[in-house]
Amino acid sequence: MKLVWNLLLSKNSIIGLSKMSRVNISQKAIIAVCQMTATENKDANLKVCKDLITSAKKFNAQVIFLPEACDYVGKNKPQTIEMAEDVNGPTLSAYKELAKQHNVWLSLGGIHIKVDDKTVRNAHVLLNSNGEIEADYSKLHLFDVDYKEGNVHLKESSYCKPGTKLLPPVSTPAGNIGLSICYDLRFPEASVSLRMQGADILTYPSAFTFATGAAHWEPLLRARAIETQCYVVAAAQSGMHNEKRTSWGHAMIVDPWGAIVAQCSEGNNVAVAEVDHELLRKTRLSMPVLEHRRNDVYPSLKVHCVSQPQEDTESKQFQFGQVYVKGSGIFAQTHSSMAFTNKKCVVPGHVLVSPLRCVQRMSQLNPEEVADLFMLVHKVAPIIEKAFKGTSSTIVVQDGKDSGQTIEHVHVHILPRRPGDYLNNDDIYRDLAKHDKDDSTGRWRTEEEMAAEAKTLRPYFT
C-alpha cells in the first residue's frame, strides 16, 4: 500500500482531491509530479508553476518535478531561440526564489538556455531547497522525427545543442535522482547506466507529442521502471500549446515493480506519492537483475565520465610500468584510465593516456578497459590541439618492446601537430622511438613543469 494523492488544478485553485490509500509515511519521502499546458507567455507559465508548487508543498512534497518546457513553448523556431535566457536569467532566478520560499527541491524538467544567437540547449536543472543549482543536465538525444502518419514533424537539432555527458545521480531528500529529458526515454542504455551508478529515481520530464504519447508513453515509462528497478517520475506537458503543437500529458509516477502509483488528470495538475525505499530494497533483493547480467556475452553499460582528478590525487603516485607518475601531473581521469603530462616531449603538448591497471600489452586489457582508454583519448586529443594551437594530432601506441616501447605499461601518445613542424612527416615516428632514450630530441622536464602544465589543462575537463 502506498500513499497517493491526485490534485486537479483548474486555473489557480484546487477543485478536487482523492486519497487512494493510506499508510504510515514516517521516514518515507513525498514527491510531486506536475503537468501543465505551457504557451509562449513566460509570465503566465511561471504563475501556473507557482500554483503547482504551492499545491504540492501543502502535501509536504520534498521534491517537486516540473515538465520539459516549463518556461515556455514557442510558436516557431525563431521565437524559441529569441526567448531563451542564460543561466542567470530572470526565469531561473524566479525558480531559485520559489525553491527557497517553499524549502523544497525543484526539478525544472527542461528550460531553454541560450547558447548563441542561433542555438539553445534543453537543460534539466535541479535546484536544492536553498535555491542552488545541484545539477544542470543537457538533453542527450534530440527529437528529429518525421512521423507522417501521426502528423509529427520536428527537428530539435536545427536549433538545439545536444548534451555530451550523462550526469551521475544526485543525492536528494527523496533518494538519488538520475536526470534525463523526454526523448531520452527511448534509450534504455542511459537508464541502466544511471541505475548502475546508484539511482533510486529516474526522471523523464517531457512534452511528448499526442501521437507518440498515445502509442508509447506509458509502456516506455513502465519498462524503464521494471528493467532498472527504480521509481520513474515523468512530469508532462498536456493539451494544445498553439495551433501547431499538442502534447499527450498523463504525467505519472511508476514504482520499481512497474505499477503506476500516481497519475495526473487533464489540465494543470499535480500527483503526489511516496518513494518507499524499503520497496526499492525488497524489489532489488528478490530479483537482483544487475547481478544476473551476462556481461561475458554482451557488453556492460559503463558510463564514460571524464573529469578532473580527485582533490587528493596530487599527493598520490600511480604506477606506470617500472616507474611512477605523480598525481600532480594528471589532468584528466575516468574510472579506469588517466591522462597526464609527459616527462620528455617530442613536440609541445605531447601527453600520454594510459589505463590505471598496469599491463604491458594491449591484448592484456579487457574490452571495457580498451573502450574506456580510447574514449579518453577521443576526449583529450581535440582539447590538446586547442590548448597548444594545433591543427592535427598524431596518436600512437607502441605495443611491445620491438615496437619501441620502453615503459612496460600500455599507453597512448597524443602529439598536437602544426603546419611545418616536420618537413618530412614520418620523422616524428623516428623521434618518438628515441625521445626517451637519448637527449637529441629535447630536454627532460621537471616535476614542477609537468604539474604546472597539468594545472592549465584541468579546467578543460570540468
mmCIF file with all atom_site columns, all heavy atoms in Angstrom, residues 41-66:
data_model
loop_
_atom_site.group_PDB
_atom_site.id
_atom_site.type_symbol
_atom_site.label_atom_id
_atom_site.label_alt_id
_atom_site.label_comp_id
_atom_site.label_asym_id
_atom_site.label_entity_id
_atom_site.label_seq_id
_atom_site.pdbx_PDB_ins_code
_atom_site.Cartn_x
_atom_site.Cartn_y
_atom_site.Cartn_z
_atom_site.occupancy
_atom_site.B_iso_or_equiv
_atom_site.pdbx_formal_charge
_atom_site.auth_seq_id
_atom_site.auth_comp_id
_atom_site.auth_asym_id
_atom_site.auth_atom_id
_atom_site.pdbx_PDB_model_num
ATOM 1   N N   . ASN A 1 41 ? 3.850  32.519 -23.384 1.00 0.00 ? 41 ASN A N   1
ATOM 2   C CA  . ASN A 1 41 ? 3.742  33.543 -22.352 1.00 0.00 ? 41 ASN A CA  1
ATOM 3   C C   . ASN A 1 41 ? 4.502  33.103 -21.094 1.00 0.00 ? 41 ASN A C   1
ATOM 4   O O   . ASN A 1 41 ? 3.990  32.326 -20.294 1.00 0.00 ? 41 ASN A O   1
ATOM 5   C CB  . ASN A 1 41 ? 2.269  33.803 -22.027 1.00 0.00 ? 41 ASN A CB  1
ATOM 6   C CG  . ASN A 1 41 ? 2.076  35.005 -21.116 1.00 0.00 ? 41 ASN A CG  1
ATOM 7   O OD1 . ASN A 1 41 ? 2.890  35.292 -20.248 1.00 0.00 ? 41 ASN A OD1 1
ATOM 8   N ND2 . ASN A 1 41 ? 0.976  35.715 -21.325 1.00 0.00 ? 41 ASN A ND2 1
ATOM 9   N N   . LYS A 1 42 ? 5.708  33.614 -20.922 1.00 0.00 ? 42 LYS A N   1
ATOM 10  C CA  . LYS A 1 42 ? 6.543  33.199 -19.797 1.00 0.00 ? 42 LYS A CA  1
ATOM 11  C C   . LYS A 1 42 ? 5.909  33.524 -18.444 1.00 0.00 ? 42 LYS A C   1
ATOM 12  O O   . LYS A 1 42 ? 5.959  32.707 -17.515 1.00 0.00 ? 42 LYS A O   1
ATOM 13  C CB  . LYS A 1 42 ? 7.918  33.873 -19.872 1.00 0.00 ? 42 LYS A CB  1
ATOM 14  C CG  . LYS A 1 42 ? 8.850  33.344 -20.934 1.00 0.00 ? 42 LYS A CG  1
ATOM 15  C CD  . LYS A 1 42 ? 10.202 34.048 -20.800 1.00 0.00 ? 42 LYS A CD  1
ATOM 16  C CE  . LYS A 1 42 ? 11.184 33.578 -21.840 1.00 0.00 ? 42 LYS A CE  1
ATOM 17  N NZ  . LYS A 1 42 ? 12.489 34.261 -21.698 1.00 0.00 ? 42 LYS A NZ  1
ATOM 18  N N   . ASP A 1 43 ? 5.352  34.711 -18.324 1.00 0.00 ? 43 ASP A N   1
ATOM 19  C CA  . ASP A 1 43 ? 4.777  35.116 -17.045 1.00 0.00 ? 43 ASP A CA  1
ATOM 20  C C   . ASP A 1 43 ? 3.610  34.211 -16.652 1.00 0.00 ? 43 ASP A C   1
ATOM 21  O O   . ASP A 1 43 ? 3.479  33.817 -15.489 1.00 0.00 ? 43 ASP A O   1
ATOM 22  C CB  . ASP A 1 43 ? 4.317  36.574 -17.112 1.00 0.00 ? 43 ASP A CB  1
ATOM 23  C CG  . ASP A 1 43 ? 5.480  37.546 -17.218 1.00 0.00 ? 43 ASP A CG  1
ATOM 24  O OD1 . ASP A 1 43 ? 6.605  37.172 -16.820 1.00 0.00 ? 43 ASP A OD1 1
ATOM 25  O OD2 . ASP A 1 43 ? 5.260  38.680 -17.696 1.00 0.00 ? 43 ASP A OD2 1
ATOM 26  N N   . ALA A 1 44 ? 2.756  33.896 -17.623 1.00 0.00 ? 44 ALA A N   1
ATOM 27  C CA  . ALA A 1 44 ? 1.619  33.018 -17.337 1.00 0.00 ? 44 ALA A CA  1
ATOM 28  C C   . ALA A 1 44 ? 2.096  31.618 -16.965 1.00 0.00 ? 44 ALA A C   1
ATOM 29  O O   . ALA A 1 44 ? 1.548  30.986 -16.047 1.00 0.00 ? 44 ALA A O   1
ATOM 30  C CB  . ALA A 1 44 ? 0.691  32.956 -18.550 1.00 0.00 ? 44 ALA A CB  1
ATOM 31  N N   . ASN A 1 45 ? 3.117  31.125 -17.663 1.00 0.00 ? 45 ASN A N   1
ATOM 32  C CA  . ASN A 1 45 ? 3.652  29.795 -17.343 1.00 0.00 ? 45 ASN A CA  1
ATOM 33  C C   . ASN A 1 45 ? 4.232  29.766 -15.931 1.00 0.00 ? 45 ASN A C   1
ATOM 34  O O   . ASN A 1 45 ? 4.039  28.796 -15.182 1.00 0.00 ? 45 ASN A O   1
ATOM 35  C CB  . ASN A 1 45 ? 4.738  29.411 -18.344 1.00 0.00 ? 45 ASN A CB  1
ATOM 36  C CG  . ASN A 1 45 ? 4.220  29.289 -19.751 1.00 0.00 ? 45 ASN A CG  1
ATOM 37  O OD1 . ASN A 1 45 ? 3.044  29.009 -19.980 1.00 0.00 ? 45 ASN A OD1 1
ATOM 38  N ND2 . ASN A 1 45 ? 5.084  29.514 -20.728 1.00 0.00 ? 45 ASN A ND2 1
ATOM 39  N N   . LEU A 1 46 ? 4.961  30.815 -15.564 1.00 0.00 ? 46 LEU A N   1
ATOM 40  C CA  . LEU A 1 46 ? 5.541  30.879 -14.228 1.00 0.00 ? 46 LEU A CA  1
ATOM 41  C C   . LEU A 1 46 ? 4.453  30.913 -13.165 1.00 0.00 ? 46 LEU A C   1
ATOM 42  O O   . LEU A 1 46 ? 4.570  30.282 -12.111 1.00 0.00 ? 46 LEU A O   1
ATOM 43  C CB  . LEU A 1 46 ? 6.447  32.104 -14.110 1.00 0.00 ? 46 LEU A CB  1
ATOM 44  C CG  . LEU A 1 46 ? 7.156  32.311 -12.772 1.00 0.00 ? 46 LEU A CG  1
ATOM 45  C CD1 . LEU A 1 46 ? 8.060  31.118 -12.449 1.00 0.00 ? 46 LEU A CD1 1
ATOM 46  C CD2 . LEU A 1 46 ? 7.976  33.598 -12.802 1.00 0.00 ? 46 LEU A CD2 1
ATOM 47  N N   . LYS A 1 47 ? 3.366  31.642 -13.445 1.00 0.00 ? 47 LYS A N   1
ATOM 48  C CA  . LYS A 1 47 ? 2.231  31.686 -12.499 1.00 0.00 ? 47 LYS A CA  1
ATOM 49  C C   . LYS A 1 47 ? 1.640  30.295 -12.301 1.00 0.00 ? 47 LYS A C   1
ATOM 50  O O   . LYS A 1 47 ? 1.343  29.886 -11.162 1.00 0.00 ? 47 LYS A O   1
ATOM 51  C CB  . LYS A 1 47 ? 1.162  32.636 -13.044 1.00 0.00 ? 47 LYS A CB  1
ATOM 52  C CG  . LYS A 1 47 ? -0.096 32.749 -12.185 1.00 0.00 ? 47 LYS A CG  1
ATOM 53  C CD  . LYS A 1 47 ? 0.205  33.360 -10.840 1.00 0.00 ? 47 LYS A CD  1
ATOM 54  C CE  . LYS A 1 47 ? -1.079 33.753 -10.102 1.00 0.00 ? 47 LYS A CE  1
ATOM 55  N NZ  . LYS A 1 47 ? -1.965 32.625 -9.824  1.00 0.00 ? 47 LYS A NZ  1
ATOM 56  N N   . VAL A 1 48 ? 1.475  29.531 -13.383 1.00 0.00 ? 48 VAL A N   1
ATOM 57  C CA  . VAL A 1 48 ? 0.956  28.168 -13.266 1.00 0.00 ? 48 VAL A CA  1
ATOM 58  C C   . VAL A 1 48 ? 1.899  27.322 -12.417 1.00 0.00 ? 48 VAL A C   1
ATOM 59  O O   . VAL A 1 48 ? 1.464  26.582 -11.520 1.00 0.00 ? 48 VAL A O   1
ATOM 60  C CB  . VAL A 1 48 ? 0.774  27.543 -14.662 1.00 0.00 ? 48 VAL A CB  1
ATOM 61  C CG1 . VAL A 1 48 ? 0.495  26.041 -14.546 1.00 0.00 ? 48 VAL A CG1 1
ATOM 62  C CG2 . VAL A 1 48 ? -0.358 28.218 -15.412 1.00 0.00 ? 48 VAL A CG2 1
ATOM 63  N N   . CYS A 1 49 ? 3.190  27.431 -12.679 1.00 0.00 ? 49 CYS A N   1
ATOM 64  C CA  . CYS A 1 49 ? 4.157  26.622 -11.928 1.00 0.00 ? 49 CYS A CA  1
ATOM 65  C C   . CYS A 1 49 ? 4.180  26.994 -10.454 1.00 0.00 ? 49 CYS A C   1
ATOM 66  O O   . CYS A 1 49 ? 4.323  26.130 -9.588  1.00 0.00 ? 49 CYS A O   1
ATOM 67  C CB  . CYS A 1 49 ? 5.551  26.765 -12.545 1.00 0.00 ? 49 CYS A CB  1
ATOM 68  S SG  . CYS A 1 49 ? 5.707  25.949 -14.149 1.00 0.00 ? 49 CYS A SG  1
ATOM 69  N N   . LYS A 1 50 ? 4.038  28.289 -10.155 1.00 0.00 ? 50 LYS A N   1
ATOM 70  C CA  . LYS A 1 50 ? 3.958  28.707 -8.750  1.00 0.00 ? 50 LYS A CA  1
ATOM 71  C C   . LYS A 1 50 ? 2.780  28.036 -8.058  1.00 0.00 ? 50 LYS A C   1
ATOM 72  O O   . LYS A 1 50 ? 2.895  27.556 -6.923  1.00 0.00 ? 50 LYS A O   1
ATOM 73  C CB  . LYS A 1 50 ? 3.804  30.224 -8.666  1.00 0.00 ? 50 LYS A CB  1
ATOM 74  C CG  . LYS A 1 50 ? 5.060  31.015 -8.936  1.00 0.00 ? 50 LYS A CG  1
ATOM 75  C CD  . LYS A 1 50 ? 4.783  32.512 -8.817  1.00 0.00 ? 50 LYS A CD  1
ATOM 76  C CE  . LYS A 1 50 ? 6.029  33.334 -9.072  1.00 0.00 ? 50 LYS A CE  1
ATOM 77  N NZ  . LYS A 1 50 ? 5.756  34.806 -8.986  1.00 0.00 ? 50 LYS A NZ  1
ATOM 78  N N   . ASP A 1 51 ? 1.640  27.983 -8.734  1.00 0.00 ? 51 ASP A N   1
ATOM 79  C CA  . ASP A 1 51 ? 0.447  27.362 -8.150  1.00 0.00 ? 51 ASP A CA  1
ATOM 80  C C   . ASP A 1 51 ? 0.651  25.854 -7.961  1.00 0.00 ? 51 ASP A C   1
ATOM 81  O O   . ASP A 1 51 ? 0.228  25.275 -6.947  1.00 0.00 ? 51 ASP A O   1
ATOM 82  C CB  . ASP A 1 51 ? -0.774 27.614 -9.036  1.00 0.00 ? 51 ASP A CB  1
ATOM 83  C CG  . ASP A 1 51 ? -1.170 29.091 -9.062  1.00 0.00 ? 51 ASP A CG  1
ATOM 84  O OD1 . ASP A 1 51 ? -0.812 29.817 -8.113  1.00 0.00 ? 51 ASP A OD1 1
ATOM 85  O OD2 . ASP A 1 51 ? -1.813 29.512 -10.037 1.00 0.00 ? 51 ASP A OD2 1
ATOM 86  N N   . LEU A 1 52 ? 1.283  25.222 -8.946  1.00 0.00 ? 52 LEU A N   1
ATOM 87  C CA  . LEU A 1 52 ? 1.559  23.789 -8.830  1.00 0.00 ? 52 LEU A CA  1
ATOM 88  C C   . LEU A 1 52 ? 2.483  23.510 -7.638  1.00 0.00 ? 52 LEU A C   1
ATOM 89  O O   . LEU A 1 52 ? 2.253  22.586 -6.856  1.00 0.00 ? 52 LEU A O   1
ATOM 90  C CB  . LEU A 1 52 ? 2.197  23.271 -10.118 1.00 0.00 ? 52 LEU A CB  1
ATOM 91  C CG  . LEU A 1 52 ? 1.332  23.282 -11.384 1.00 0.00 ? 52 LEU A CG  1
ATOM 92  C CD1 . LEU A 1 52 ? 2.193  22.979 -12.606 1.00 0.00 ? 52 LEU A CD1 1
ATOM 93  C CD2 . LEU A 1 52 ? 0.194  22.288 -11.280 1.00 0.00 ? 52 LEU A CD2 1
ATOM 94  N N   . ILE A 1 53 ? 3.528  24.309 -7.515  1.00 0.00 ? 53 ILE A N   1
ATOM 95  C CA  . ILE A 1 53 ? 4.488  24.128 -6.415  1.00 0.00 ? 53 ILE A CA  1
ATOM 96  C C   . ILE A 1 53 ? 3.815  24.371 -5.068  1.00 0.00 ? 53 ILE A C   1
ATOM 97  O O   . ILE A 1 53 ? 3.993  23.592 -4.121  1.00 0.00 ? 53 ILE A O   1
ATOM 98  C CB  . ILE A 1 53 ? 5.690  25.075 -6.609  1.00 0.00 ? 53 ILE A CB  1
ATOM 99  C CG1 . ILE A 1 53 ? 6.498  24.649 -7.840  1.00 0.00 ? 53 ILE A CG1 1
ATOM 100 C CG2 . ILE A 1 53 ? 6.580  25.099 -5.371  1.00 0.00 ? 53 ILE A CG2 1
ATOM 101 C CD1 . ILE A 1 53 ? 7.480  25.702 -8.326  1.00 0.00 ? 53 ILE A CD1 1
ATOM 102 N N   . THR A 1 54 ? 3.014  25.422 -4.985  1.00 0.00 ? 54 THR A N   1
ATOM 103 C CA  . THR A 1 54 ? 2.309  25.736 -3.730  1.00 0.00 ? 54 THR A CA  1
ATOM 104 C C   . THR A 1 54 ? 1.381  24.594 -3.331  1.00 0.00 ? 54 THR A C   1
ATOM 105 O O   . THR A 1 54 ? 1.320  24.191 -2.163  1.00 0.00 ? 54 THR A O   1
ATOM 106 C CB  . THR A 1 54 ? 1.513  27.040 -3.879  1.00 0.00 ? 54 THR A CB  1
ATOM 107 O OG1 . THR A 1 54 ? 2.412  28.109 -4.184  1.00 0.00 ? 54 THR A OG1 1
ATOM 108 C CG2 . THR A 1 54 ? 0.765  27.375 -2.600  1.00 0.00 ? 54 THR A CG2 1
ATOM 109 N N   . SER A 1 55 ? 0.657  24.062 -4.295  1.00 0.00 ? 55 SER A N   1
ATOM 110 C CA  . SER A 1 55 ? -0.285 22.970 -4.015  1.00 0.00 ? 55 SER A CA  1
ATOM 111 C C   . SER A 1 55 ? 0.451  21.709 -3.571  1.00 0.00 ? 55 SER A C   1
ATOM 112 O O   . SER A 1 55 ? 0.040  21.043 -2.618  1.00 0.00 ? 55 SER A O   1
ATOM 113 C CB  . SER A 1 55 ? -1.124 22.680 -5.259  1.00 0.00 ? 55 SER A CB  1
ATOM 114 O OG  . SER A 1 55 ? -1.872 23.808 -5.628  1.00 0.00 ? 55 SER A OG  1
ATOM 115 N N   . ALA A 1 56 ? 1.545  21.386 -4.250  1.00 0.00 ? 56 ALA A N   1
ATOM 116 C CA  . ALA A 1 56 ? 2.314  20.193 -3.888  1.00 0.00 ? 56 ALA A CA  1
ATOM 117 C C   . ALA A 1 56 ? 2.922  20.331 -2.507  1.00 0.00 ? 56 ALA A C   1
ATOM 118 O O   . ALA A 1 56 ? 2.966  19.367 -1.731  1.00 0.00 ? 56 ALA A O   1
ATOM 119 C CB  . ALA A 1 56 ? 3.403  19.950 -4.931  1.00 0.00 ? 56 ALA A CB  1
ATOM 120 N N   . LYS A 1 57 ? 3.379  21.517 -2.175  1.00 0.00 ? 57 LYS A N   1
ATOM 121 C CA  . LYS A 1 57 ? 4.008  21.739 -0.871  1.00 0.00 ? 57 LYS A CA  1
ATOM 122 C C   . LYS A 1 57 ? 3.010  21.560 0.264   1.00 0.00 ? 57 LYS A C   1
ATOM 123 O O   . LYS A 1 57 ? 3.383  21.160 1.382   1.00 0.00 ? 57 LYS A O   1
ATOM 124 C CB  . LYS A 1 57 ? 4.629  23.140 -0.831  1.00 0.00 ? 57 LYS A CB  1
ATOM 125 C CG  . LYS A 1 57 ? 5.391  23.441 0.447   1.00 0.00 ? 57 LYS A CG  1
ATOM 126 C CD  . LYS A 1 57 ? 6.547  22.465 0.667   1.00 0.00 ? 57 LYS A CD  1
ATOM 127 C CE  . LYS A 1 57 ? 7.267  22.785 1.968   1.00 0.00 ? 57 LYS A CE  1
ATOM 128 N NZ  . LYS A 1 57 ? 8.361  21.819 2.253   1.00 0.00 ? 57 LYS A NZ  1
ATOM 129 N N   . LYS A 1 58 ? 1.730  21.841 0.024   1.00 0.00 ? 58 LYS A N   1
ATOM 130 C CA  . LYS A 1 58 ? 0.715  21.644 1.056   1.00 0.00 ? 58 LYS A CA  1
ATOM 131 C C   . LYS A 1 58 ? 0.645  20.187 1.505   1.00 0.00 ? 58 LYS A C   1
ATOM 132 O O   . LYS A 1 58 ? 0.158  19.893 2.603   1.00 0.00 ? 58 LYS A O   1
ATOM 133 C CB  . LYS A 1 58 ? -0.656 22.084 0.537   1.00 0.00 ? 58 LYS A CB  1
ATOM 134 C CG  . LYS A 1 58 ? -0.801 23.600 0.399   1.00 0.00 ? 58 LYS A CG  1
ATOM 135 C CD  . LYS A 1 58 ? -2.156 23.966 -0.160  1.00 0.00 ? 58 LYS A CD  1
ATOM 136 C CE  . LYS A 1 58 ? -2.283 25.480 -0.313  1.00 0.00 ? 58 LYS A CE  1
ATOM 137 N NZ  . LYS A 1 58 ? -3.608 25.879 -0.911  1.00 0.00 ? 58 LYS A NZ  1
ATOM 138 N N   . PHE A 1 59 ? 1.095  19.284 0.652   1.00 0.00 ? 59 PHE A N   1
ATOM 139 C CA  . PHE A 1 59 ? 1.088  17.858 0.993   1.00 0.00 ? 59 PHE A CA  1
ATOM 140 C C   . PHE A 1 59 ? 2.490  17.358 1.330   1.00 0.00 ? 59 PHE A C   1
ATOM 141 O O   . PHE A 1 59 ? 2.790  16.175 1.210   1.00 0.00 ? 59 PHE A O   1
ATOM 142 C CB  . PHE A 1 59 ? 0.450  17.060 -0.140  1.00 0.00 ? 59 PHE A CB  1
ATOM 143 C CG  . PHE A 1 59 ? -1.012 17.336 -0.283  1.00 0.00 ? 59 PHE A CG  1
ATOM 144 C CD1 . PHE A 1 59 ? -1.450 18.382 -1.084  1.00 0.00 ? 59 PHE A CD1 1
ATOM 145 C CD2 . PHE A 1 59 ? -1.944 16.610 0.427   1.00 0.00 ? 59 PHE A CD2 1
ATOM 146 C CE1 . PHE A 1 59 ? -2.788 18.679 -1.192  1.00 0.00 ? 59 PHE A CE1 1
ATOM 147 C CE2 . PHE A 1 59 ? -3.287 16.901 0.329   1.00 0.00 ? 59 PHE A CE2 1
ATOM 148 C CZ  . PHE A 1 59 ? -3.728 17.938 -0.481  1.00 0.00 ? 59 PHE A CZ  1
ATOM 149 N N   . ASN A 1 60 ? 3.338  18.318 1.751   1.00 0.00 ? 60 ASN A N   1
ATOM 150 C CA  . ASN A 1 60 ? 4.680  18.012 2.265   1.00 0.00 ? 60 ASN A CA  1
ATOM 151 C C   . ASN A 1 60 ? 5.601  17.371 1.230   1.00 0.00 ? 60 ASN A C   1
ATOM 152 O O   . ASN A 1 60 ? 6.486  16.576 1.593   1.00 0.00 ? 60 ASN A O   1
ATOM 153 C CB  . ASN A 1 60 ? 4.589  17.119 3.516   1.00 0.00 ? 60 ASN A CB  1
ATOM 154 C CG  . ASN A 1 60 ? 3.843  17.798 4.649   1.00 0.00 ? 60 ASN A CG  1
ATOM 155 O OD1 . ASN A 1 60 ? 4.064  18.977 4.928   1.00 0.00 ? 60 ASN A OD1 1
ATOM 156 N ND2 . ASN A 1 60 ? 2.930  17.068 5.274   1.00 0.00 ? 60 ASN A ND2 1
ATOM 157 N N   . ALA A 1 61 ? 5.408  17.698 -0.022  1.00 0.00 ? 61 ALA A N   1
ATOM 158 C CA  . ALA A 1 61 ? 6.332  17.194 -1.045  1.00 0.00 ? 61 ALA A CA  1
ATOM 159 C C   . ALA A 1 61 ? 7.720  17.766 -0.786  1.00 0.00 ? 61 ALA A C   1
ATOM 160 O O   . ALA A 1 61 ? 7.884  18.962 -0.559  1.00 0.00 ? 61 ALA A O   1
ATOM 161 C CB  . ALA A 1 61 ? 5.848  17.585 -2.438  1.00 0.00 ? 61 ALA A CB  1
ATOM 162 N N   . GLN A 1 62 ? 8.706  16.892 -0.837  1.00 0.00 ? 62 GLN A N   1
ATOM 163 C CA  . GLN A 1 62 ? 10.089 17.319 -0.607  1.00 0.00 ? 62 GLN A CA  1
ATOM 164 C C   . GLN A 1 62 ? 10.815 17.622 -1.918  1.00 0.00 ? 62 GLN A C   1
ATOM 165 O O   . GLN A 1 62 ? 11.746 18.422 -1.943  1.00 0.00 ? 62 GLN A O   1
ATOM 166 C CB  . GLN A 1 62 ? 10.834 16.234 0.176   1.00 0.00 ? 62 GLN A CB  1
ATOM 167 C CG  . GLN A 1 62 ? 10.308 16.034 1.586   1.00 0.00 ? 62 GLN A CG  1
ATOM 168 C CD  . GLN A 1 62 ? 10.811 14.748 2.191   1.00 0.00 ? 62 GLN A CD  1
ATOM 169 O OE1 . GLN A 1 62 ? 10.241 13.680 1.953   1.00 0.00 ? 62 GLN A OE1 1
ATOM 170 N NE2 . GLN A 1 62 ? 11.879 14.822 2.955   1.00 0.00 ? 62 GLN A NE2 1
ATOM 171 N N   . VAL A 1 63 ? 10.411 16.943 -2.988  1.00 0.00 ? 63 VAL A N   1
ATOM 172 C CA  . VAL A 1 63 ? 10.954 17.200 -4.320  1.00 0.00 ? 63 VAL A CA  1
ATOM 173 C C   . VAL A 1 63 ? 9.762  17.325 -5.268  1.00 0.00 ? 63 VAL A C   1
ATOM 174 O O   . VAL A 1 63 ? 8.881  16.459 -5.279  1.00 0.00 ? 63 VAL A O   1
ATOM 175 C CB  . VAL A 1 63 ? 11.899 16.078 -4.793  1.00 0.00 ? 63 VAL A CB  1
ATOM 176 C CG1 . VAL A 1 63 ? 12.528 16.452 -6.139  1.00 0.00 ? 63 VAL A CG1 1
ATOM 177 C CG2 . VAL A 1 63 ? 12.990 15.799 -3.767  1.00 0.00 ? 63 VAL A CG2 1
ATOM 178 N N   . ILE A 1 64 ? 9.762  18.396 -6.063  1.00 0.00 ? 64 ILE A N   1
ATOM 179 C CA  . ILE A 1 64 ? 8.650  18.659 -6.985  1.00 0.00 ? 64 ILE A CA  1
ATOM 180 C C   . ILE A 1 64 ? 9.207  18.679 -8.409  1.00 0.00 ? 64 ILE A C   1
ATOM 181 O O   . ILE A 1 64 ? 10.194 19.376 -8.687  1.00 0.00 ? 64 ILE A O   1
ATOM 182 C CB  . ILE A 1 64 ? 7.964  19.999 -6.658  1.00 0.00 ? 64 ILE A CB  1
ATOM 183 C CG1 . ILE A 1 64 ? 7.403  19.955 -5.229  1.00 0.00 ? 64 ILE A CG1 1
ATOM 184 C CG2 . ILE A 1 64 ? 6.847  20.299 -7.665  1.00 0.00 ? 64 ILE A CG2 1
ATOM 185 C CD1 . ILE A 1 64 ? 6.871  21.293 -4.734  1.00 0.00 ? 64 ILE A CD1 1
ATOM 186 N N   . PHE A 1 65 ? 8.570  17.938 -9.297  1.00 0.00 ? 65 PHE A N   1
ATOM 187 C CA  . PHE A 1 65 ? 9.066  17.754 -10.661 1.00 0.00 ? 65 PHE A CA  1
ATOM 188 C C   . PHE A 1 65 ? 8.175  18.486 -11.654 1.00 0.00 ? 65 PHE A C   1
ATOM 189 O O   . PHE A 1 65 ? 6.982  18.196 -11.759 1.00 0.00 ? 65 PHE A O   1
ATOM 190 C CB  . PHE A 1 65 ? 9.107  16.259 -11.004 1.00 0.00 ? 65 PHE A CB  1
ATOM 191 C CG  . PHE A 1 65 ? 10.042 15.460 -10.135 1.00 0.00 ? 65 PHE A CG  1
ATOM 192 C CD1 . PHE A 1 65 ? 9.626  14.987 -8.902  1.00 0.00 ? 65 PHE A CD1 1
ATOM 193 C CD2 . PHE A 1 65 ? 11.334 15.197 -10.549 1.00 0.00 ? 65 PHE A CD2 1
ATOM 194 C CE1 . PHE A 1 65 ? 10.490 14.250 -8.098  1.00 0.00 ? 65 PHE A CE1 1
ATOM 195 C CE2 . PHE A 1 65 ? 12.208 14.464 -9.759  1.00 0.00 ? 65 PHE A CE2 1
ATOM 196 C CZ  . PHE A 1 65 ? 11.784 13.996 -8.529  1.00 0.00 ? 65 PHE A CZ  1
ATOM 197 N N   . LEU A 1 66 ? 8.776  19.428 -12.393 1.00 0.00 ? 66 LEU A N   1
ATOM 198 C CA  . LEU A 1 66 ? 8.082  20.172 -13.436 1.00 0.00 ? 66 LEU A CA  1
ATOM 199 C C   . LEU A 1 66 ? 8.469  19.627 -14.811 1.00 0.00 ? 66 LEU A C   1
ATOM 200 O O   . LEU A 1 66 ? 9.553  19.060 -14.972 1.00 0.00 ? 66 LEU A O   1
ATOM 201 C CB  . LEU A 1 66 ? 8.433  21.654 -13.343 1.00 0.00 ? 66 LEU A CB  1
ATOM 202 C CG  . LEU A 1 66 ? 7.945  22.374 -12.073 1.00 0.00 ? 66 LEU A CG  1
ATOM 203 C CD1 . LEU A 1 66 ? 8.613  23.741 -11.947 1.00 0.00 ? 66 LEU A CD1 1
ATOM 204 C CD2 . LEU A 1 66 ? 6.438  22.509 -12.074 1.00 0.00 ? 66 LEU A CD2 1
#
